Amino acid sequence: MLELHFAVPMAGAVLCTFNTRHDAAMVSFLLKHSGAKVFLVESNLLDVGRAALKRLADSDPAAALPVLLTISDDTDSDDYEDLVANAASEPFDIRWPASELDPISLNYTSGTTSRPKGVVYNHRGAYLNTIATVLAYDITVMPTYLWTVPMFHCNGWNLPWGVAMQGGTNVCLRHFTARVIFDSIARHGVTHMGGAPTVLNMIANAPPADRKPLPGPVRVMTGGAPPPPRVLFAVEELGFVVYHIYGLTETYGPATVCTWLPEWDALPAAERARLKARQGFQHIAMQGADVKDPGTMESVPCDGETVGEVMFRGNTVMSGYYRDLAATKESMAGGWLHTGDLAVRHPDGYIQVKDRAKDIIISGGENISSIEVESVIFSHPAVLEAAVVARPDHHWGETPCAFVKLKDGASATEAEIIGFCRDRLPHYMAPKTVVFEDLPKTSTGKTQKFVLRDKARAMGSLTKIASSKL
Amino acid sequence: MLELHFAVPMAGAVLCTFNTRHDAAMVSFLLKHSGAKVFLVESNLLDVGRAALKRLADSDPAAALPVLLTISDDTDSDDYEDLVANAASEPFDIRWPASELDPISLNYTSGTTSRPKGVVYNHRGAYLNTIATVLAYDITVMPTYLWTVPMFHCNGWNLPWGVAMQGGTNVCLRHFTARVIFDSIARHGVTHMGGAPTVLNMIANAPPADRKPLPGPVRVMTGGAPPPPRVLFAVEELGFVVYHIYGLTETYGPATVCTWLPEWDALPAAERARLKARQGFQHIAMQGADVKDPGTMESVPCDGETVGEVMFRGNTVMSGYYRDLAATKESMAGGWLHTGDLAVRHPDGYIQVKDRAKDIIISGGENISSIEVESVIFSHPAVLEAAVVARPDHHWGETPCAFVKLKDGASATEAEIIGFCRDRLPHYMAPKTVVFEDLPKTSTGKTQKFVLRDKARAMGSLTKIASSKL
């Protein structure tokens, strides 16, 4: 997939990468929607790939199917390596884009709430976001980059191109655990890596036997959700330097950076974590990041309190959704990309996302940021992971419901978790329900809140219990 | 001037900076040629500025003169600070360029051989070259940059914009000596600086009393001429990390970088210096850097021997010469910018400039690179500076003539310098004349070879002496 990030655009084609966890039905849908002409499949996913092609043929016997090419770790029956081996040597016939706004890549959103949408990246945007990403977290010349972010996710935050641009070395893993991460860092002298907070969590909670000393500072770009303070402290103590970025598939991945001021190094740890949890400012290739009232399109005041919607405009906003003009127009209403993320702007100008619009919990008329509640639960020593969603309630409208995974061998009761939160948050923000179980995840390590929201909804109202117990 | 790099483009105007060493005649010519509307002059240059305006008025009494605004370190009669103080507060009326190809800046070439030419930079090129320059020498976030490169020289290699982009601190000096450089580095914690080889030379030859330990590694971007090995060793030993870049006014300054491979760190010092003296590859914003036969426009082979002309094309090549279509067409013949620099391409692809086309010495039919001869003379322990030019000769056509400035208190004879060169170079390359004197310099520290060439020409042929002595 790394090589195809170069070969496909150089052939004048558009790269469309699929999530490796998709099933045949989804792959079949995406093949059809994208109009793929060539379908490269790794041998370990060949069953899904073939089943997807069969579905496609069954659904429309007259349609031309994409050509299937296999990629394999074995030497036999590997179409891709054969093609490469038998290709003519230089000079290549590079097909340059006619316009820099020609598409380079098609990235389908994860589709947690609706059918996946095909986000079109163009050459200009990909070039600029590659540069911005490289600059945002100090990828200096000749880096060694460890891949934990899938390349099918926003083209791996553009870093197949970015690492090449800086003459770097790619360390690719098929699967990873904390042990594999520490081993790879030590063996290859890794200087940079990406990682969702769940990856940081994995590192922070690695048993001592799985750890190895770092060969030097390792810069980690994290995003997807703000790093919880406890995880941040733990990984920074190990020698990782955490850069917090924020963005969406629609912004080629990274769009803002929590620019770190040197004077903040001297602040107490909790204060540093609070500052680093903010999403910050647009990077150097994005024209504008703003927090706006979607009704009036006015910017919210920089008071750290007024909530608005994060919006973007500039070269690193997608060309649009493929074959979906209505969704494109809706998302770009007023000339700004509407992210659906709710945020405030602090007096120093830094943007802080409070929640996804659909994740906010409205209890007794008060907005509760699920992220803030999760952050507190997370700081409980027995907690490995936590997610908070709305549970419908006859009296309050909604109440916070926490799903918690405890660390191996640790224990905590529902009452303990609730009491812990009430000691640290306004009482109305503390969860009224705590469920202990494993959290459902997307392939990029994000918690699938829509699954939890369905569960919480199925529990029904808590009103009577709530009014007596709390 | 730093502030004006932002204010002028934001006002929708074009920034045109003049060399502070120009006399009234030249300033008057440039004011007229550029069509300047507003003329900002520092108080210490006010005599030249007023004389230039008078010349302009005298030459064309009907013409509208530019408005003179003064900038001063004193508080009285400072138009600029008054304007700033009395300006309306935000929101500014920023006049965005209608097209990204609109001009942002007009830079006059130094005009050593002809009338100065006005090189037009556009917004797109300036943005891209700023990014490329920041990336080329690892300007990470929050740098502290020491200014020795004048901001009127290729807009200070785009770094008024680049340092701001990375949230950095600018340390500006009106005049500098080695002592001032060391003091500034220690006092402000300088992380990056630029400097022509003459600045490196100043640092390398600083008396111990003028030196201070560096607070950390200081990255120095050098260009204009390859750093002589002895100077390179000396400054690297002090803790400077030297990045060698190459470019022209016509390429917004930096255009190529001698990309350093980590494995080269282990090579012997002389080998490292040889590798670092090469100009390298185009940076990430330049589409192409090539060495071509200007007759056929074919690329020279990568053999390290065949000499061609360095040529560029891409976004960071100038829009053209202002009001000089003929010169623009000539310089861009065949779609590539012709630099007039002669170079080879090594088997590893690195470009190495052998000489300016007009600086090459042709002796007995052999091409002699003045740079190579200078590099050897430079390694003589008594030599502070050296420049080699052609002296006309009845027998050989031309012979190398060296102008040498010795270090304070050091001594060497003409015969010693010639013998030193003959021990280290093919005999035909050794200078046949050595003149001991101060070298004439441009304001950016480049030796004015045309002055020396005139002197050498005035000496006449050396043939008879040469044939008996050598």
Side-chain angles (χ1 to χ4, degrees):
Chain A
M1 198 182 282
L2 181 73
E3 293 173 11
L4 292 173
H5 270 78
F6 298 88
V8 173
M10 286 164 87
V14 177
L15 180 67
C16 177
T17 56
F18 293 165
N19 190 320
T20 50
R21 296 200 187 175
H22 282 333
D23 60 15
M26 179 63 91
V27 171
S28 157
F29 170 80
L30 296 179
L31 282 175
K32 183 164 186 178
H33 189 272
S34 65
K37 297 282 195 299
V38 179
F39 182 34
L40 290 116
V41 182
E42 280 202 33
S43 54
N44 62 326
L45 296 168
L46 214 45
D47 289 347
V48 176
R50 288 205 173 111
L53 285 177
K54 185 168 182 309
R55 274 173 169 266
L56 207 56
D58 291 348
S59 73
D60 182 1
L65 292 182
V67 176
L68 176 70
L69 294 178
T70 60
I71 302 177
S72 171
D73 287 343
D74 310 326
T75 47
D76 48 345
S77 84
D78 182 342
D79 302 327
Y80 176 73
E81 293 296 343
D82 287 351
L83 268 175
V84 171
N86 295 325
S89 55
E90 295 191 70
F92 317 115
D93 174 23
I94 298 177
R95 308 225 178 145
W96 296 96
S99 156
E100 61 195 42
L101 295 179
D102 281 357
I104 187 172
S105 162
L106 179 58
N107 281 281
Y108 282 93
T109 58
S110 50
T112 47
T113 52
S114 60
R115 256 194 196 286
K117 288 190 284 243
V119 177
V120 177
Y121 289 7
N122 60 57
H123 282 260
R124 179 181 169 103
Y127 174 87
L128 289 171
N129 216 64
T130 298
I131 284 174
T133 305
V134 163
L135 283 169
Y137 88 119
D138 288 340
I139 302 189
T140 47
V141 292
M142 311 282 164
T144 300
Y145 186 79
L146 178 67
W147 282 93
T148 63
V149 176
M151 287 182 208
F152 60 73
H153 177 71
C154 308
N155 294 113
W157 299 346
N158 308 286
L159 289 175
W161 300 310
V163 173
M165 186 182 92
Q166 290 294 70
T169 302
N170 293 283
V171 180
C172 299
L173 306 172
R174 257 188 213 287
H175 304 288
F176 60 88
T177 58
R179 175 191 285 271
V180 169
I181 290 174
F182 278 103
D183 279 355
S184 300
I185 291 170
R187 173 142 43 120
H188 301 290
V190 166
T191 58
H192 294 77
M193 61 181 285
T198 45
V199 174
L200 297 187
N201 200 22
M202 185 188 277
I203 291 171
N205 288 295
D210 286 355
R211 295 183 184 182
K212 286 202 172 143
L214 306 188
V218 177
R219 294 169 202 276
V220 186
M221 188 165 68
T222 193
R230 188 168 51 80
V231 173
L232 196 63
F233 301 154
V235 299
E236 291 198 335
E237 205 154 287
L238 291 169
F240 293 89
V241 183
V242 177
Y243 291 67
H244 181 206
I245 58 96
Y246 158 78
L248 298 86
T249 304
E250 286 83 348
T251 61
Y252 297 71
T256 73
V257 191
C258 177
T259 302
W260 192 249
L261 301 187
E263 54 265 37
W264 292 347
D265 285 338
L267 294 175
E271 181 66 5
R272 279 189 283 122
R274 190 184 67 75
L275 291 168
K276 193 164 272 186
R278 306 185 305 169
Q279 279 66 24
F281 293 99
Q282 72 263 31
H283 61 48
I284 58 116
M286 179 68 83
Q287 188 188 346
D290 202 1
V291 182
K292 288 176 175 290
D293 179 326
T296 64
M297 290 301 279
E298 294 287 320
S299 302
V300 302
C302 292
D303 59 8
E305 285 181 8
T306 311
V307 173
E309 184 175 358
V310 181
M311 300 195 192
F312 291 107
R313 71 170 173 191
N315 287 301
T316 56
V317 170
M318 64 169 180
S319 299
Y321 295 118
Y322 189 51
R323 294 180 171 168
D324 196 343
L325 190 59
T328 303
K329 280 187 172 167
E330 189 191 338
S331 73
M332 293 299 299
W336 290 75
L337 174 75
H338 295 238
T339 65
D341 284 342
L342 301 181
V344 297
R345 194 143 204 168
H346 288 278
D348 61 1
Y350 282 62
I351 291 173
Q352 181 169 16
V353 172
K354 302 303 264 190
D355 222 336
R356 291 288 303 166
K358 63 179 181 298
D359 289 344
I360 213 107
I361 301 159
I362 305 174
S363 189
E366 296 282 357
N367 285 346
I368 300 175
S369 156
S370 63
I371 293 174
E372 285 182 39
V373 185
E374 286 159 11
S375 178
V376 168
I377 300 177
F378 224 93
S379 66
H380 188 286
V383 172
L384 183 67
E385 292 175 340
V388 175
V389 298
R391 176 176 175 179
D393 194 279
H394 292 312
H395 181 67
W396 300 105
E398 294 175 347
T399 59
C401 172
F403 291 82
V404 170
K405 182 181 180 180
L406 296 176
K407 291 181 186 167
D408 277 354
S411 68
T413 64
E414 178 174 27
E416 275 170 34
I417 298 292
I418 292 173
F420 186 83
C421 290
R422 288 170 64 97
D423 289 347
R424 288 163 178 81
L425 286 170
H427 286 193
Y428 74 93
M429 288 180 70
K432 298 203 174 15
T433 319
V434 179
V435 180
F436 296 97
E437 62 171 48
D438 283 3
L439 305 188
K441 294 282 173 59
T442 69
S443 62
T444 56
K446 281 189 192 174
T447 301
Q448 292 177 300
K449 282 206 172 172
F450 71 103
V451 174
L452 300 176
R453 209 174 286 121
D454 288 347
K455 285 194 185 187
R457 198 171 297 129
M459 291 179 199
S461 174
L462 189 76
T463 300
K464 279 176 194 163
I465 309 166
S467 52
S468 66
K469 253 175 104 176
L470 306 171
Chain B
M1 198 182 280
L2 183 72
E3 293 173 10
L4 293 173
H5 271 78
F6 299 88
V8 173
M10 287 165 87
V14 177
L15 180 67
C16 178
T17 56
F18 293 165
N19 190 322
T20 50
R21 296 199 189 175
H22 282 333
D23 60 15
M26 179 62 91
V27 170
S28 157
F29 170 79
L30 296 180
L31 282 175
K32 183 164 188 178
H33 188 272
S34 64
K37 297 283 195 297
V38 179
F39 182 34
L40 289 115
V41 182
E42 280 201 34
S43 54
N44 63 325
L45 296 168
L46 215 45
D47 289 347
V48 176
R50 289 206 172 110
L53 285 177
K54 183 166 186 308
R55 273 173 171 265
L56 207 55
D58 291 348
S59 73
D60 182 0
L65 291 183
V67 176
L68 176 70
L69 295 178
T70 60
I71 302 177
S72 171
D73 288 342
D74 310 326
T75 47
D76 49 344
S77 84
D78 182 342
D79 304 326
Y80 176 73
E81 293 297 344
D82 287 350
L83 268 177
V84 172
N86 296 326
S89 54
E90 293 192 72
F92 317 115
D93 175 24
I94 299 178
R95 308 225 178 147
W96 296 97
S99 155
E100 61 194 45
L101 295 180
D102 280 357
I104 188 172
S105 162
L106 179 59
N107 282 280
Y108 282 93
T109 57
S110 51
T112 47
T113 52
S114 59
R115 256 194 196 286
K117 287 190 285 243
V119 176
V120 177
Y121 289 6
N122 61 57
H123 282 261
R124 179 181 169 102
Y127 174 88
L128 290 171
N129 216 64
T130 298
I131 284 175
T133 305
V134 163
L135 283 169
Y137 88 118
D138 289 340
I139 302 190
T140 48
V141 292
M142 312 283 163
T144 300
Y145 186 79
L146 178 68
W147 283 93
T148 63
V149 177
M151 288 181 207
F152 60 73
H153 176 71
C154 308
N155 294 112
W157 298 346
N158 308 284
L159 288 175
W161 300 309
V163 173
M165 187 182 92
Q166 290 294 69
T169 302
N170 293 284
V171 180
C172 300
L173 306 172
R174 259 187 212 288
H175 304 288
F176 59 88
T177 58
R179 174 190 285 273
V180 170
I181 289 174
F182 278 103
D183 280 353
S184 301
I185 291 170
R187 172 140 47 118
H188 301 289
V190 166
T191 58
H192 294 78
M193 61 182 284
T198 45
V199 174
L200 297 187
N201 200 23
M202 185 187 277
I203 291 171
N205 288 295
D210 286 354
R211 295 184 185 183
K212 287 205 170 140
L214 306 188
V218 177
R219 294 169 201 278
V220 186
M221 189 165 69
T222 193
R230 188 169 51 79
V231 173
L232 195 62
F233 302 154
V235 298
E236 291 199 334
E237 205 155 289
L238 290 169
F240 294 88
V241 183
V242 177
Y243 290 68
H244 181 207
I245 57 96
Y246 158 78
L248 299 85
T249 303
E250 286 83 347
T251 61
Y252 298 70
T256 72
V257 190
C258 178
T259 303
W260 192 249
L261 301 186
E263 55 265 35
W264 292 347
D265 284 338
L267 294 174
E271 181 67 4
R272 280 189 282 122
R274 189 185 67 76
L275 291 169
K276 193 162 271 186
R278 307 187 303 170
Q279 279 67 23
F281 294 99
Q282 71 263 31
H283 61 47
I284 58 117
M286 179 68 84
Q287 188 188 348
D290 201 1
V291 182
K292 288 175 175 291
D293 177 326
T296 65
M297 290 301 278
E298 294 287 321
S299 302
V300 301
C302 292
D303 59 6
E305 286 181 7
T306 312
V307 172
E309 184 175 358
V310 181
M311 300 195 192
F312 291 106
R313 71 170 171 192
N315 287 301
T316 55
V317 169
M318 64 170 179
S319 299
Y321 295 118
Y322 189 52
R323 294 180 170 168
D324 197 342
L325 190 58
T328 303
K329 280 187 171 167
E330 189 190 338
S331 73
M332 293 298 300
W336 290 75
L337 174 76
H338 296 237
T339 64
D341 284 341
L342 301 181
V344 298
R345 195 143 204 168
H346 288 279
D348 61 1
Y350 282 62
I351 291 172
Q352 181 170 18
V353 172
K354 301 303 263 189
D355 222 337
R356 292 287 302 168
K358 63 180 182 297
D359 290 344
I360 213 103
I361 301 158
I362 305 173
S363 190
E366 297 282 357
N367 285 347
I368 299 174
S369 156
S370 64
I371 293 174
E372 285 181 39
V373 184
E374 286 159 11
S375 178
V376 167
I377 301 177
F378 225 93
S379 66
H380 188 285
V383 171
L384 183 68
E385 293 175 339
V388 175
V389 298
R391 177 175 175 180
D393 194 279
H394 293 311
H395 181 67
W396 300 105
E398 295 175 347
T399 60
C401 172
F403 291 81
V404 171
K405 182 179 180 183
L406 295 176
K407 291 181 187 168
D408 277 355
S411 69
T413 64
E414 178 175 28
E416 274 170 32
I417 298 291
I418 293 173
F420 186 83
C421 291
R422 289 170 64 97
D423 289 347
R424 288 161 179 82
L425 287 170
H427 285 193
Y428 73 93
M429 288 179 70
K432 296 202 175 18
T433 320
V434 179
V435 181
F436 295 98
E437 64 171 47
D438 284 1
L439 304 188
K441 293 281 173 60
T442 69
S443 62
T444 56
K446 281 189 193 175
T447 301
Q448 292 177 299
K449 282 204 172 173
F450 71 102
V451 174
L452 300 176
R453 209 173 286 120
D454 288 348
K455 284 194 182 184
R457 198 171 297 128
M459 292 178 198
S461 174
L462 189 76
T463 301
K464 280 176 193 162
I465 309 164
S467 53
S468 67
K469 255 176 99 176
L470 306 168

